[in-house]
Amino acid sequence: ETSSCAPEEKAELIYRAADYIFTDVKHMDADRHKELTGVGNAQILKNIRRAAEILDEKRQTLVLRIPVIPGLNDTEENIRETADFAKHIGNVTRIELLPYHNLGESKYQKLRRTGDYPLHQLKPPAEEHMEQLRLIAEAQGIMAKTGSL
C-alpha cells in the first residue's frame, strides 16, 4: 500500500520488490491535489504509470484507491478522470472507492490534538453517492467497487 509520493528511484525499488500494489489517487487536478495534500500529483502519477509497467512485466496487478472525501474529491469529474487515467495506463485490476471515515479523529484525541483534526465535522459519504461514483468509474471501462477487499 502506497501513496506513490516518493522519488522515482525509491518508488521503483519498492515496485520491483512487490507482487501486488494498492496505491492512492487523491485528486487528478494538480492544483487541487496540492491544495488538499500539500504536494502536487505529477510525480505521483508518473510513479503510478511506472508501477503499472513494472507489474505488467512481472504479470502482477495494480489497484488504484480513491479515498472519497465529501466536498473535497468526490466530484463526478474527478472520478471520471481517475478512471480514464487507470484505463489508459493499463494493468489496473480495479479502482476501489474508499468512503471517508473519521477513525483518524480518535488518534488526534489520544494525542490531545482534538482542535487540530482538519475534518472533524465531516460525515462519511452516503452509500447512494458511493454507488453513483462507482457507476461513473465503470462507465469509463474500468472495474470499480466501493470499499476494499
Side-chain angles (χ1 to χ4, degrees), residues 86-115:
K87 181 179 177 185
H88 285 94
I89 63 172
N91 200 34
V92 174
T93 306
R94 69 181 174 277
I95 290 178
E96 292 182 353
L97 299 157
L98 307 176
Y100 166 79
H101 57 74
N102 60 0
L103 298 176
E105 192 165 2
S106 64
K107 292 177 186 177
Y108 273 72
Q109 290 171 347
K110 288 178 185 174
L111 294 170
R112 293 179 169 65
R113 295 182 60 193
T114 54

Side-chain angles (χ1 to χ4, degrees), residues 19-31:
D19 291 328
Y20 206 83
I21 295 175
F22 292 89
T23 189
D24 286 356
V25 176
K26 293 181 178 73
H27 211 291
M28 289 302 293
D29 180 85
D31 293 333

Side-chain angles (χ1 to χ4, degrees), residues 8 15 33 41 48 61 76 81 83 87 98 119 138 149:
E8 188 174 351
Y15 299 152
H33 190 279
N41 66 357
I48 292 171
T61 57
E76 291 183 16
E81 288 178 10
K87 181 179 177 185
L98 307 176
L119 305 174
E138 287 194 341
L149 285 177

